[in-house]
C-alpha cells in the first residue's frame, strides 16, 4: 500500500510541495511501502544467463546484513508486473521485456533457494490476460514452454519442485505436456517449491473449489452444513503445498492493487508494493521487501499486549 | 460568545470544504470507499488515555469521515468495525467494544443522527449470529428503519471475515444448484450469494495505522481496488488524508479505465 505520511500543517513547505507534488515519492521510515531505485539505464536486454548458478551450502547461510534468518517468510508470492512498460522505457519490444522478466525471475528463485524461503509463488499469466493481443499471448506461452524445458535440469539439480496452478483448459497441448513432465520429474524435490500461476485468478480458484465441493455434496460425501473454511482450503489449487498462505506478497511496477491474484490465500499476507518494474527488481528490491516484512508486527486480529 | 465563535468557525470550515469538494469533483470520484479503522488502542496508549477512549475517539473520527464522504458525493462507504478474529481478544475488551457498538448503533436511530442528515441506508454485514442478542437486535432495527433510504449507503462489517462470507456464499450456491450440473456453477452464482453484493466493488481501500495487509477484509471485492496504507492512527485520520487518497485515485484513474474497457 502506498504510505501517505501527510505532513502536519505546521511543517508544510510550499516550495517542496510545488516541486513535483504528485510525482513525489514518499521515502518511508520503518515500513517501506514504496521502494524505488532509479531505473538502471541500459541499452538492450540484460545479459542472459542460460543457467542458474547452483546453490552452494556456503552461500545459504549468508543473509544480507539486516535480515534475520528466524524472521524469513516461509512463502513469498510475487506479481511480476511491468515487463511491458520496462521494455517501452528502454525503447524495446514487449517480448524483450518478458525475456528480461525471466532473467529477473531466475535471480529471485536463486535467492529464495539460498535464503531458506520454502515456497515462491509467481503470477505468470492471469485469466484477465487472455484479452491481450494473440501475438503476445503466443509469445508468452511459448517463452514459458521454452524456459521450462531449458531450466528443468538446473531446477532438478537444485532440488526445486515446480507446481503449476491455474485453468489449463486454454493452454496449448505441447505446453501441457511439458508441464506434466516438469511436475513429475521434480515432484520429490524439497528445497524450494516454485508455484507458477498460469491462467489463474483468485476468483477462479474459489469457483473451482466451490464446484469440487458441490460435487462432493452431490455425491453424498459431505453435507452442506459441513462446508467450512478448512474444506475450501483443501479444494483450492494451492493445496499442492504445505504452506498455501503467502507471508509476503510483492508487486512491482507501482500498481497498488492485488488484481485478483490469490484471493483467499491473502487474508493475512503482508503486502509490499515496489515502484520499479519487474526486470529491475532484482536482489536489492527483494532485500528491501524482506526487510520491510521483518519489521512488521503480525497480529492476525488479536492483540500483542 | 465562545459558542458563537465556534459556530462561525464551523460554518467557515463547511464552506471551504464545499469549495474544495467542488474542485475535487472536476475529476473522477470513487463510488465506493472502504476503511479499515485500525489503531484506536494505540492512539489511547500514545495519548496516555484510559482503555476504551481510543475507540470513542475513533468513532468520532468515523462520523467526520462519513460526513466528508457523503458531502463529496461518494455513494457507498464500507467500514471494518469488528472482525470475527477480534473475538479472540480479552473478554473485557470484547465486552467494552460490544457495549460501545450497542450505544452507537442505537444512536443512529436518533433524529439528529448522521443517518437522517444524509439519508443513509445502513447494512450490517457479517455473521450476526455471533453477536449478542441486544447488539443483533439493534442492528436489525437500524437496517429495517433505514431500508427506504436510497441516497447513500453505509455498510458496517461486524462479526465479519471475508473467508466466512465466502464460505456462506459457497454453501448457498451448493444448495441453489443442488439439482443441476456442478459445472453450471459460475462466478455470478457465488457473487450473488455474497452479503456484500448489495454494493459495487470498492474503488479504494484505506487502512490506517501503517499496516499493509487486508486482514481478511473484502478479499473477494478488493481485487481491483486501489490500496492505501496511511501511517496515521485511525483517530488521527482527517480530511487531508481523504483528499490525498482521492487525488491519487484520480491520478491513476484514466489508465485504469482503459484497462477496464479492455476487460
Amino acid at each position: 500500500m502506498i504510505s501517505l505520511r501527510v505532513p502536519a500543517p505546521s511543517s508544510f513547505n510550499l516550495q517542496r510541495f510545488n516541486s513535483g507534488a504528485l510525482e513525489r515519492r514518499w521515502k518511508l521510515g520503518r515500513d517501506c511501502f514504496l521502494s524505488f531505485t532509479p531505473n538502471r539505464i541500459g541499452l538492450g536486454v540484460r545479459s542472459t544467463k542460460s543457467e542458474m548458478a547452483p546453490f552452494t551450502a556456503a552461500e545459504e547461510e549468508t543473509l544480507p546484513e539486516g535480515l534475520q534468518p528466524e524472521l524469513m517468510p516461509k512463502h513469498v508470492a510475487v506479481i511480476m508486473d511491468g515487463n511491458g512498460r520496462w521494455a517501452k522505457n528502454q525503447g524495446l519490444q514487449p517480448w524483450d521485456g518478458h525475456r528480461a522478466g525471466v532473467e529477473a525471475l531466475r535471480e529471485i528463485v536463486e535467492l529464495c533457494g539460498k535464503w531458506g524461503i520454502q515456497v515462491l509463488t509467481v503470477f505468470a499469466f492471469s485469466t484477465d490476460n487472455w484479452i491481450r493481443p494473440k501475438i503476445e499471448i503466443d509469445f508468452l506461452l511459448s517463452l514459458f514452454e521454452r524456459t521450462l524445458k531449458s531450466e528443468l535440469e538446473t531446477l532438478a539439480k537444485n532440488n526445486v519442485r515446480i507446481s503449476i496452478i491455474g485453468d489449463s483448459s486454454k493452454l496449448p497441448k505441447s505446453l501441457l505436456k511439458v508441464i506434466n513432465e516438469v511436475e513429475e520429474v521434480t515432484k520429490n524435490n524439497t528445497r524450494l517449491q516454485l508455484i507458477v500461476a498460469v491462467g489463474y485468478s483468485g476468483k477462479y480458484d474459489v469457483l473451482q473449489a466451490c464446484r469440487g465441493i458441490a460435487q462432493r455434496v452431490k455425491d453424498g460425501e459431505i453435507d452442506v452444513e459441513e462446508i467450512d473454511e478448512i474444506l475450501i482450503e483443501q479444494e483450492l489449487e494451492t493445496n499442492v503445498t504445505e504452506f498455501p498462505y503467502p507471508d509476503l506478497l510483492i508487486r512491482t511496477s507501482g500498481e497498488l492493487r492485488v488484481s485478483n491474484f490469490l484471493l483467499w490465500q491473502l487474508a493475512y499476507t503482508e503486502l509490499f508494493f515496489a515502484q520499479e518494474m519487474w526486470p529491475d527488481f532484482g536482489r536489492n528490491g527483494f532485500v528491501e521487501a524482506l526487510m520491510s516484512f521483518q519489521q512488521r508486527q503480525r497480529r492476525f486480529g488479536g492483540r500483542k499486549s | 460568545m465562545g459558542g458563537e465563535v465556534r459556530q462561525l468557525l464551523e460554518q467557515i470550515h463547511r464552506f471551504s470544504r464545499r469549495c474544495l469538494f467542488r474542485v475535487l469533483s472536476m475529476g473522477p470520484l470513487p463510488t465506493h470507499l472502504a476503511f479499515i479503522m485500525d489503531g484506536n488502542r494505540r492512539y489511547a496508549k500514545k495519548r496516555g488515555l484510559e482503555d476504551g477512549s481510543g475507540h470513542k475517539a475513533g468513532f468520532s473520527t468515523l462520523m467526520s469521515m462519513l460526513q466528508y464522504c457523503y458531502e463529496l458525493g461518494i455513494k457507498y462507504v464500507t467500514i471494518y468495525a469488528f472482525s470475527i478474529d477480534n473475538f479472540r481478544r480479552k473478554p473485557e475488551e470484547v465486552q467494552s467494544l460490544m457495549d460501545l457498538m450497542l450505544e452507537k448503533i442505537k444512536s443512529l436511530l436518533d433524529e439528529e443522527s448522521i443517518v437522517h442528515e444524509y439519508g443513509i441506508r445502513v447494512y450490517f454485514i457479517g455473521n450476526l449470529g455471533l453477536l449478542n442478542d441486544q447488539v443483533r437486535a439493534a442492528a436489525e432495527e437500524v437496517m429495517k428503519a433505514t431500508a427506504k433510504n436510497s441516497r447513500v449507503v453505509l455498510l458496517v462489517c461486524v462479526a465479519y471475515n471475508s473467508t466466512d462470507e465466502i464460505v456462506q456464499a459457497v454453501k448457498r450456491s451448493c444448495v441453489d444448484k443442488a439439482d443441476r450440473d456442478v459445472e453450471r456453477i459460475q462466478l455470478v452464482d457465488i457473487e450473488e450469494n455474497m452479503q456484500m453484493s448489495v454494493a459495487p466493488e470498492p474503488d479504494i481501500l484505506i487502512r490506517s495505522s501503517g499496516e499493509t495487509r487486508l486482514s481478511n477484509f473484502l478479499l473477494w471485492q478488493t481485487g481491483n481496488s486501489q490500496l492505501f496504507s496511511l501511517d496515521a492512527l485511525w483517530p488521527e485520520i482527517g480530511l487531508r488524508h481523504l483528499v490525498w487518497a482521492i487525488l491519487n485515485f484520480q491520478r491513476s484513474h484514466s489508465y485504469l479505465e482503459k484497462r477496464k474497457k479492455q476487460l
Side-chain angles (χ1 to χ4, degrees), chain B:
Chain B
M1 188 62 198
E4 280 175 21
V5 172
R6 217 187 341 260
Q7 255 194 342
L8 183 63
L9 279 175
E10 171 61 39
Q11 287 200 359
I12 293 176
H13 279 152
R14 221 177 246 261
F15 178 72
S16 32
R17 208 160 58 225
R18 223 174 321 147
C19 294
L20 172 62
F21 287 168
R22 202 158 287 182
V23 170
L24 277 182
S25 328
M26 297 286 163
L29 288 177
T31 314
H32 183 173
L33 220 67
F35 291 103
I36 300 181
M37 309 182 293
D38 200 8
N40 292 324
R41 202 179 103 150
R42 268 170 282 170
Y43 175 82
K45 213 164 164 181
K46 185 171 156 188
R47 294 292 181 100
L49 305 169
E50 56 173 36
D51 273 349
S53 44
H55 293 293
K56 291 205 182 86
F59 182 78
S60 79
T61 299
L62 171 61
M63 288 297 114
S64 309
M65 293 304 282
L66 288 181
Q67 187 183 10
Y68 303 147
C69 287
Y70 295 136
E71 273 179 16
L72 185 50
I74 296 171
K75 182 155 182 194
Y76 296 89
V77 177
T78 303
I79 58 173
Y80 201 9
F82 195 84
S83 158
I84 295 180
D85 300 322
N86 295 152
F87 279 116
R88 287 192 272 126
R89 293 183 182 177
K90 282 195 266 201
E92 311 88 62
E93 187 183 344
V94 174
Q95 188 53 47
S96 85
L97 281 169
M98 288 292 141
D99 291 339
L100 179 68
M101 264 200 290
L102 182 61
E103 182 195 325
K104 298 305 180 190
I105 292 175
K106 281 191 173 152
S107 74
L108 290 177
L109 293 170
D110 293 341
E111 274 306 312
E112 326 85 51
S113 86
I114 194 174
V115 162
H116 289 102
E117 194 179 340
Y118 294 101
I120 308 179
R121 177 161 188 184
V122 183
Y123 289 97
F124 285 92
I125 308 278
N127 200 336
L128 301 185
L130 295 174
L131 297 169
N132 69 46
D133 292 336
Q134 287 175 307
V135 178
R136 187 172 54 250
E140 280 163 6
E141 198 186 331
V142 169
M143 283 201 277
K144 203 161 143 213
T146 60
K148 292 213 179 62
N149 295 347
S150 57
R151 272 187 61 209
V152 290
V153 183
L154 172 65
L155 302 112
V156 183
C157 291
V158 62
Y160 175 88
N161 252 355
S162 197
T163 46
D164 181 68
E165 189 193 4
I166 295 173
V167 166
Q168 304 307 330
V170 165
K171 271 191 189 162
R172 281 189 218 114
S173 307
C174 288
V175 167
D176 288 345
K177 303 280 173 176
D179 53 350
R180 274 181 264 177
D181 194 14
V182 300
E183 290 308 308
R184 301 270 295 277
I185 300 180
Q186 300 295 338
L187 271 181
V188 291
D189 299 312
I190 301 182
E191 270 170 347
E192 67 193 14
N193 282 312
M194 301 276 266
Q195 280 189 297
M196 284 292 297
S197 63
V198 293
E201 296 189 341
D203 299 290
I204 301 178
L205 170 64
I206 297 178
R207 180 173 187 148
S208 58
S209 91
E211 306 293 3
T212 324
R213 52 184 180 249
L214 297 169
S215 292
N216 212 340
F217 182 56
L218 302 185
L219 298 173
W220 185 275
Q221 296 83 353
T222 52
N224 292 309
S225 312
Q226 207 164 4
L227 310 172
F228 292 112
S229 169
L230 309 182
D231 275 347
L233 303 172
W234 179 251
E236 295 166 345
I237 295 291
L239 178 61
R240 61 197 192 282
H241 299 100
L242 178 66
V243 170
W244 195 262
I246 299 217
L247 285 174
N248 271 283
F249 166 79
Q250 291 184 335
R251 197 175 134 215
S252 60
H253 187 258
S254 55
Y255 168 70
L256 274 173
E257 282 299 298
K258 238 193 304 176
R259 297 280 298 265
K260 268 203 207 142
K261 283 209 178 75
Q262 285 181 326
L263 291 173

Side-chain angles (χ1 to χ4, degrees), chain A residues 178-208:
Chain A
V178 174
I179 285 175
N180 284 335
E181 190 192 330
V182 168
E183 281 185 325
E184 184 59 34
V185 166
T186 61
K187 72 173 184 233
N188 293 319
N189 294 348
T190 51
R191 187 190 190 117
L192 167 71
Q193 182 169 15
L194 174 62
I195 301 178
V196 186
V198 181
Y200 179 93
S201 80
K203 285 190 182 176
Y204 147 81
D205 203 0
V206 173
L207 174 62
Q208 68 83 32

